[in-house]
Amino acid sequence: MSTAATGHLAGRHIVLGITGGIAAYKSAMLVRLFVKAGAEVQVIMTPNAREFISPVTMSTLSGKPVITEFFSANTGEWHSHVDLGLWADAFVVAPATACTIAKMANGVADNMLVTSYLSTRARVFVAPAMDLDMMAHPSTCRNLDTLRADGCIIIEAASGELASHLSGKGRMEEPEAIAAAVERYFAARCTMSGRKVLITAGPTYERIDPVRFIGNFSSGKMGYALANEAARRGAEVTLVSGPVHPFDTLPGVKVVRVESAREMLDAARRAFSDADVAIFAAAVADYRPERVLDRKAKREHPGEGLDSIKLVKNPDIAATLGACRRPGQTLVGFALETSDAMQNGAEKLVRKGLDAIVINSLQDQGAGFGTDTNKISIMYADGRPTLEFGLKSKADVAADILDNIPTPLPSR
Ligand code: CTP
């Protein structure tokens, strides 16, 4: 049996699909293993699976109601296969019968399990379980090949005595081996283990008086997506966040909330000396009022400060820290441009002492502030060719950025 890499299942979201085969009883143990390792498990059962193991057992072990149908019979509530598919960090089908394998291979979305499979972007693991002749049938072999080609990881069935009392290949692999395969997958993705990452995110607000400020439309979504993706890869993240609506963060992310550019610089400076990677995703206000009024300025009283506000320059956080970087650190900036995106990006890359700059243009539809998507290019200081990406979710853009910036060795 394979040995599990330890600790990599903690905090993961796992969808466990159970289909109608004798091996379904082993899925109870699989849920226990996942939950004991700290994962959250959502079980989906096909209608036939309920003949083999009770949904009560599975919901008790997973701590969540089991989903079988598109709608709850009790409340009429719709179970969103799209939300479930997107929630999953891993999608495991164990046991997978010949019928479900065939449906998955051909996109036959006639139940909640296959529909969620078609909606997921997570890695999919399939643990077949069936009689030896079904297992060896050219049709099953063809369907498994299709699933492999579609990116699924097939956890090969073992040989031994089968429910039919025949002996041969077709026994579902043991739950420990399935859990270990999923854990190894997460371990392999932990490419940032031991790295300290500093990320700035969101806007800054620069106070005019107790009720007014100068700010911008940044939502912080891109910076938070980067922080979560780095944490998923095993990094220890300090996220210095300007004022944004709170987003969920993963356990490896420490959020330091600040309001103004100067507060952001102080917090970023504290985390910077230790950081292996610093990503400046914040939309920092370039100027702040020279004077902050201690009482609310009145509209009817010109001269109190609202009719003309004298502004002074804020510190440039990326450039300040870029000027005192130590060898071995990777520094990445962002440039959100409305015109001449590439030229402006190239200039900022040099001026701020960065290794790479992520350029997005407000001229591209779906890119920039507040959207859930982004379209980026990554330009490098060392002269390697600029990379261009299509329109993607900010979570996928975060993965592209972390895949394509140098990950230095941990500094300690
Ligand atoms: N940045 C920063 N501190 C600032 C301004 C910008 O750290 N005071 C960082 C941003 O987080 C981003 C990069 O610098 O990584 C470029 O930000 P941008 O606002 O595009 O550039 P500016 O230098 O402010 O230039 P301009 O607004 O004139 O385009």
Side-chain angles (χ1 to χ4, degrees):
M1 194 182 62
S2 354
T3 359
T6 49
H8 294 285
L9 288 173
R12 306 293 181 181
H13 293 171
I14 299 177
V15 168
L16 175 61
I18 303 176
T19 72
I22 293 290
Y25 78 92
K26 292 188 190 174
S27 306
M29 179 53 76
L30 185 53
V31 175
R32 263 185 64 78
L33 290 171
F34 284 147
V35 170
K36 257 179 94 172
E40 262 188 71
V41 182
Q42 174 62 61
V43 174
I44 309 179
M45 294 173 81
T46 61
N48 276 344
R50 289 181 300 195
E51 308 293 330
F52 290 87
I53 187 158
S54 154
V56 177
T57 306
M58 303 313 293
S59 63
T60 307
L61 291 174
S62 66
K64 290 183 194 296
V66 166
I67 298 176
T68 305
E69 308 292 349
F70 292 106
F71 294 92
S72 158
N74 297 332
T75 62
E77 180 198 357
W78 183 57
H79 296 134
S80 166
H81 54 89
V82 177
D83 289 349
L84 205 51
L86 294 180
W87 175 83
D89 297 317
F91 194 104
V92 181
V93 185
T97 57
C99 175
T100 292
I101 289 170
K103 286 183 183 177
M104 288 169 71
N106 292 286
V108 180
D110 67 347
N111 63 32
M112 188 64 191
L113 174 51
V114 181
T115 312
S116 304
Y117 161 68
L118 293 180
S119 300
T120 197
R121 295 180 189 166
R123 181 64 74 193
V124 178
F125 297 78
V126 178
M130 63 196 81
D131 194 50
L132 78 164
D133 293 309
M134 292 173 84
M135 189 81 238
H137 197 282
S139 149
T140 308
C141 296
R142 228 175 15 247
N143 289 330
L144 283 172
D145 280 345
T146 302
L147 291 185
R148 276 188 201 95
D150 290 345
C152 297
I153 296 175
I154 310 299
I155 302 171
E156 293 294 338
S159 292
E161 194 183 331
L162 303 169
S164 60
H165 302 300
L166 295 172
S167 192
K169 186 176 173 183
R171 284 171 64 93
M172 183 176 90
E173 191 43 287
E174 294 305 321
E176 289 81 0
I178 297 173
V182 177
E183 187 160 24
R184 274 198 309 279
Y185 161 72
F186 285 122
R189 291 186 68 217
C190 273
T191 48
M192 298 186 87
S193 269
R195 312 306 199 284
K196 294 196 172 177
V197 176
L198 160 68
I199 297 173
T200 66
T204 63
Y205 286 178
E206 311 299 331
R207 286 179 184 238
I208 297 169
D209 68 12
V211 297
R212 301 183 179 90
F213 62 85
I214 295 174
N216 59 65
F217 294 120
S218 168
S219 63
K221 279 181 191 162
M222 193 63 248
Y224 276 73
L226 277 162
N228 280 337
E229 183 58 27
R232 230 173 255 125
R233 294 173 184 221
E236 203 182 303
V237 182
T238 302
L239 175 65
V240 181
S241 168
V244 294
H245 288 292
F247 297 101
D248 288 341
T249 48
L250 293 177
V253 181
K254 178 181 151 206
V255 182
V256 182
R257 291 186 74 102
V258 297
E259 183 179 281
S260 66
R262 286 185 297 173
E263 287 171 13
M264 186 173 273
L265 174 60
D266 286 345
R269 208 199 290 272
R270 277 195 291 278
F272 183 70
S273 53
D274 250 9
D276 300 297
V277 177
I279 305 180
F280 303 102
V284 185
D286 289 314
Y287 285 83
R288 65 176 185 278
E290 183 180 45
R291 209 160 57 92
V292 181
L293 304 174
D294 52 13
R295 279 184 310 131
K296 186 183 171 201
K298 291 289 183 198
R299 192 154 68 113
E300 301 305 332
H301 299 173
E304 271 202 357
L306 282 189
D307 45 352
S308 86
I309 300 173
K310 178 148 193 305
L311 299 177
V312 290
K313 235 183 188 169
N314 262 333
D316 185 324
I317 299 167
T320 308
L321 300 181
C324 58
R325 58 181 294 171
R326 54 175 172 71
Q329 284 181 308
T330 296
L331 269 58
V332 180
F334 271 73
L336 177 63
E337 304 295 340
T338 51
S339 61
D340 304 323
M342 290 307 191
Q343 198 182 320
N344 289 331
E347 184 270 317
K348 286 175 189 171
L349 179 63
V350 176
R351 177 158 52 86
K352 299 183 190 235
L354 304 169
D355 299 290
I357 192 151
V358 178
I359 300 170
N360 40 55
S361 166
L362 277 184
Q363 281 169 335
D364 286 325
Q365 252 198 351
F369 284 169
T371 59
D372 288 322
T373 51
N374 207 354
K375 185 171 181 308
I376 61 157
S377 306
I378 306 180
M379 188 181 280
Y380 297 93
D382 64 7
R384 78 181 93 162
T386 298
L387 298 177
E388 294 195 4
F389 299 84
L391 186 69
K392 295 185 179 189
S393 72
K394 285 190 172 166
D396 289 345
V397 170
D400 283 340
I401 293 170
L402 296 182
D403 281 344
N404 289 290
I405 57 168
T407 300
L409 293 171
S411 48
R412 285 141 311 275

